Amino acid sequence: TVTDDGDNCIILANGTNDLLSVADVEAASESIRRAHVLLCQMEVRPEVTLRAMQIAKAAGVVVVLNNAPAIKLSPDFLQACTVLCVNETEAELMTGLPVTTDTEIEA
């Protein structure tokens, strides 16, 4: 949704996303290895997402991670992704630095 002043406002209702497990990812590992690209978001438990990324990376699959909804990522996530996609809110959370101006972004 969008707030009254035009800012993005994310609403989460995890539902069945919380049921996905590392064992489920392992069971799908052959499909992951055959992919050309694996696109991940942080809508399932981090350890589940990370395992899928690790399987894909080991197989030479391009791994795109959109850190949304934003969490502080361990270095393992950065090592396992080919492309990291973040917006300004996610970038601020990850770096601890403001990114509201071009100068701040370049820093």
Side-chain angles (χ1 to χ4, degrees), residues 21-74:
S21 69
V22 171
D24 295 324
V25 170
E26 295 290 348
S29 63
E30 284 308 311
S31 294
I32 294 169
R33 287 183 183 96
R34 287 193 309 265
H36 296 283
V37 176
L38 178 70
L39 174 61
C40 296
Q41 290 182 273
M42 301 309 297
E43 294 180 353
V44 299
R45 288 179 288 127
E47 64 272 17
V48 176
T49 300
L50 179 59
R51 185 62 190 129
M53 293 171 63
Q54 291 169 331
I55 291 168
K57 176 88 173 193
V61 174
V62 172
V63 179
V64 179
L65 175 61
N66 181 340
N67 188 23
I71 66 166
K72 288 202 176 230
L73 295 173
S74 73

Side-chain angles (χ1 to χ4, degrees), residues 68-91:
I71 66 166
K72 288 202 176 230
L73 295 173
S74 73
D76 294 337
F77 282 92
L78 301 178
Q79 292 168 352
C81 73
T82 310
V83 177
L84 176 64
C85 174
V86 295
N87 64 24
E88 65 185 26
T89 303
E90 296 151 1

